[in-house]
Amino acid sequence: MNAPPQPPHPPAHPVAGLGRPAHWWQRRAVKAGALITLLALSGLVILALVRKETGTEGFLVGLGLAIFPVPLLIAAFRWLDRVEPAPWRNLIFSFAWGACAAALIAIVANSFATRWIATRTADPTSADTLGATVVAPVVEETVKAAAILLVFLFRRRDFKGLVDGVVISGVTATGFAFTENILYLGNAYGTDEASGVDGIGFDSVTAATFFVRIVMSPFAHPLFTVLTGIGFGFAALAADRHRIRRILFPLAGLLLAMGMHAAWNGSASFGGLGFFFVYVGFMVPSFGLLTWLTIYSRQRELRTVREELPAYVAAGWLTAPEPYALGTLRARRMARQYAAGAHGKDVARTVREYISLATALAFLRHRGRSGRAGADFVVRERELLQALWSRRGPSRPALDHAARMTAPAFPQPYAPYAQPYGPMTVPGPQIPYIPYIPSQPGPGQPLPQQPLGGQYATPNPYAPPAS
């Protein structure tokens, strides 16, 4: 674990026939087709239910207004996930699950529970209040958490920590809120149409609903479900031997999500003052705290890359400037821009793949050193190293350029006296050329010499200036 493998010979071709599933229903294409079919059917059913509830015109108005926050929220979660972006297939599945399957289950379960409570209590008003503050938070957060659980179980390689949990849960909740906003805005438009109110006036229910749900609180559902995602993120960071933690963390996050959701729904029953108190005193600080936690976790991921990859530099897999360049977002962006400008989009794509593979390698080694790597650690490490090795040609010049342009200037050794007759040529050990130190001499140029303890030796460019 401490010494990475040395650069290998070209990998042998895999033996044909190995790793094939025993039955046709275990094939990857069959599973993907079944999942897509399930989500598509759920989408068609939820589409019919919402259209029946709001009418065709109300549905179109709600759809047009509900789409506004979706690109902004997706872009925000992608921005948080810049270190090692989640595959688009995971995000598409999460959004589709929230918008189709979770919304369908929630609408059916909430309606059934509210009717049952109204029948038992013979009080429709209290049934609606109880359904909104108790039933809806439990049902909705549970069905949204199902998407996080599926990604956690079946896409374990893509679920490594807090940031992954935040992104998957946030995208799932964004899809759920999208469908729910269509329903609410469509019903509001129908109310305005029935009462003859202008849709953009101050007394418009549609305008008020749009302001509350789209302008003031587009992050409400993502904020609730992110608590569940953080619980799964802590579970991903826990070692396999800590099974109790891996169960308790997601459950704790789910309970917190339900509690915050219930407080948000219950604030409406206390009037405008109660809503304002919950929004300003509770929701906004919670949103700021979770945003800070996510950004802090992202910085820790970058530090992990810088700390884990030097071991592969020593083994010869990576060059000296790569850990620094791969551990800063600015250098990564500059490397991609350099590759695109100098060689085109294909090379830029290769550099992007190289960055993603190196990041996955750093995270894999970090999990291995902390006892959280699976039984396939050696196989996975070898796969990542082979993939990096095959892309090193076009990627290394781009990363070298980015490291040169972004690395801080290191202090250089102080020369105690001048050499009027030119530099002395005293044999001594020479340190390797480090490309990302701007003032370091280039290959083939003599390194400065200085007396150390009565003998001449090559100075260490990382050492502080002599006092």
Side-chain angles (χ1 to χ4, degrees), residues 12-368:
H13 294 286
V15 180
L18 294 181
R20 291 182 179 178
H23 304 285
W24 64 269
W25 60 81
Q26 295 178 341
R27 295 177 181 176
R28 189 173 183 178
V30 175
K31 294 179 180 179
L35 182 60
I36 293 173
T37 303
L38 175 63
L39 293 176
L41 291 176
S42 301
L44 292 176
V45 174
I46 193 66
L47 176 65
L49 289 177
V50 173
R51 180 181 174 276
K52 181 181 179 181
E53 180 75 18
T54 61
T56 303
E57 190 174 357
F59 172 78
L60 294 176
V61 172
L63 178 63
L65 296 177
I67 199 68
F68 276 99
V70 173
L72 298 178
L73 290 172
I74 297 296
F77 288 116
R78 290 293 291 178
W79 177 80
L80 290 174
D81 200 27
R82 291 170 65 194
V83 177
E84 189 182 14
W88 275 106
R89 61 179 180 270
N90 292 352
L91 301 183
I92 293 173
F93 160 76
S94 301
F95 185 87
W97 179 276
C100 300
L104 176 61
I105 297 172
I107 288 178
V108 174
N110 290 341
S111 301
F112 175 80
T114 302
R115 292 174 183 173
W116 184 83
I117 294 172
T119 303
R120 292 288 183 177
T121 61
D123 186 0
T125 304
S126 63
D128 291 338
T129 302
L130 189 61
T133 56
V134 177
V135 177
V138 174
V139 172
E140 294 175 6
E141 295 307 322
T142 301
V143 294
K144 286 185 287 185
I148 312 172
L149 177 62
L150 291 174
V151 176
F152 182 83
L153 293 177
F154 297 103
R155 293 290 180 182
R156 191 65 183 85
R157 286 184 178 181
D158 303 328
F159 207 121
K160 304 179 182 67
L162 295 181
V163 177
D164 296 313
V166 168
V167 172
I168 295 299
S169 59
V171 173
T172 303
T174 300
F176 184 89
F178 170 66
T179 302
E180 191 178 66
N181 286 336
I182 296 175
L183 180 61
Y184 277 91
L185 290 167
N187 284 332
Y189 178 80
T191 302
D192 287 339
E193 286 290 306
S195 58
V197 177
D198 187 4
I200 58 176
F202 288 101
D203 54 349
S204 170
V205 180
T206 305
T209 305
F210 180 84
F211 180 76
V212 172
R213 299 189 65 88
I214 305 300
V215 178
M216 286 191 64
S217 58
F219 57 85
H221 270 288
L223 179 61
F224 308 147
T225 314
V226 157
L227 294 173
T228 307
I230 289 177
F232 277 97
F234 279 117
L237 293 175
D240 292 340
R241 63 181 181 273
H242 298 151
R243 296 183 179 180
I244 297 179
R245 297 182 187 179
R246 295 167 66 88
I247 296 175
L248 291 181
F249 282 140
L251 289 178
L254 179 60
L255 291 177
L256 289 175
M258 292 177 181
M260 183 176 289
H261 196 160
W264 173 255
N265 287 357
S267 65
S269 61
F270 295 103
L273 184 61
F275 174 80
F276 180 80
F277 174 77
V278 172
Y279 183 82
V280 176
F282 187 63
M283 296 290 290
V284 174
S286 299
F287 177 77
L289 179 62
L290 292 178
T291 302
W292 171 84
L293 177 63
T294 306
I295 295 177
Y296 173 76
S297 300
R298 189 180 71 173
Q299 295 302 317
R300 287 191 60 184
E301 290 182 346
L302 290 171
R303 186 166 66 248
T304 298
V305 173
R306 293 192 296 270
E307 292 175 352
E308 297 294 341
L309 290 184
Y312 298 98
V313 175
W317 286 96
L318 304 176
T319 58
E322 290 184 60
Y324 173 82
L326 293 167
T328 58
L329 294 177
R330 182 186 172 207
R332 290 180 172 204
R333 182 177 65 254
M334 193 169 292
R336 294 192 298 266
Q337 293 174 350
Y338 174 84
H343 304 286
K345 294 182 178 180
D346 293 337
V347 175
R349 187 183 305 110
T350 302
V351 172
R352 189 180 301 108
E353 294 172 354
Y354 189 91
I355 292 173
S356 177
L357 291 167
T359 305
L361 178 64
F363 289 166
L364 177 68
R365 181 172 175 81
H366 181 71
R367 293 198 304 273

